[in-house]
Amino acid sequence: MKRMICIVLSVLLCFIAGCGKEEETHEPRLVLGFSQIGSESAWRIGNTRDIEEQAVNYGVGLMLENANQKQENQIAAIRRFIAYKVDVIAFSPVVEEGWDNVLTEAKKAGIPVILVDRDINTDIEGLTTCLIGADFYEEGVQAAEYIIRKADSLELEEVNIVEITGTEDSTPMRRRQAGFMDTIASDSRMHVLESVDGDFLKSRGTECMRYLLEKYGDMIDAVYSHNDEMTLGALKEIEKTELIPGQDIIIISIDGGQEAIDVLKEGKINCVVECTPRLGKALMETALKLKRGQEVEEVIHPEEKVFSDEEDVSQIGPRGY
Ligand code: AHR
């Protein structure tokens, strides 16, 4: 009940805040239901903030629900959005499988669905209209290309890698792993000792690194971690040993949040592949197009960079997440 009151109040506030904009555009107000995965990382918190800010900028009434990392909460949120007859539903699926029933219900209700950040895996055609999110496979490729260049510059004959992966069965976990593995496959110096599931969490990053250090010790030449949160957790554990992070162990992260860039500047990690959380603008523009019955692009990938010790990292500006 309390949550329902909050949702209704926030939609009302959005309507009031965006009143002037409706007069300017003469467009009927768009109501967007968005189910966010949770608050597991600085990336996710930045992504939620960006979507809220862009909803205000575009005069969109946003019903935002946080699923606390649980798929069943996301399914229940989507059902509530259908019951409220929102104009467009958007969600970031925590895992790829298991959405057929609820998305078929949305389709039957005539509500278009936008995937934000992550993809789904389904055999049913036409359940979603568009995916707005990073090219995770390319991020894995970029991480692998960095480690290959690093091995060249250090003239390493063997590179023993441990991988700390994101949430099992999620799109970034699957594609960041595939892009990385496919790229190192042709380089005989590269050996992955083990891949462990860190669930995109800092605490799990610490636990995984503790386990990996106990098992492999100084055999580990490189850590490939699927997000900053887990990297920062792993770093804490490496710093408890005699190994010098960034020197004795090469560390590669993904996201590019402020804390990871700060430790990159300190030389404690070596490479950060950017994954931008700023998807709100494209989301609002796509939702507005759908409301107007206009065509939308099937996939929208934001532009992303790689930050590494190959450049002058002191020049990297504030990240905002
Ligand atoms: O889906 C994007 C990933 O999810 C980000 O890399 C991670 O930090 C987040 O939790």
Side-chain angles (χ1 to χ4, degrees), residues 157-184:
E157 285 172 9
E158 301 283 325
V159 184
N160 290 320
I161 303 163
V162 292
E163 182 188 35
I164 307 179
T165 69
T167 307
E168 207 180 347
D169 298 333
S170 70
T171 315
M173 178 268 154
R174 287 178 172 167
R175 299 198 189 161
R176 284 173 182 167
Q177 182 169 68
F180 187 82
M181 297 298 177
D182 290 351
T183 309
I184 60 165

Side-chain angles (χ1 to χ4, degrees), residues 227-238:
N227 86 341
D228 287 349
E229 235 59 44
M230 298 186 297
T231 307
L232 295 163
L235 185 60
K236 257 176 47 187
E237 206 55 30
I238 298 171

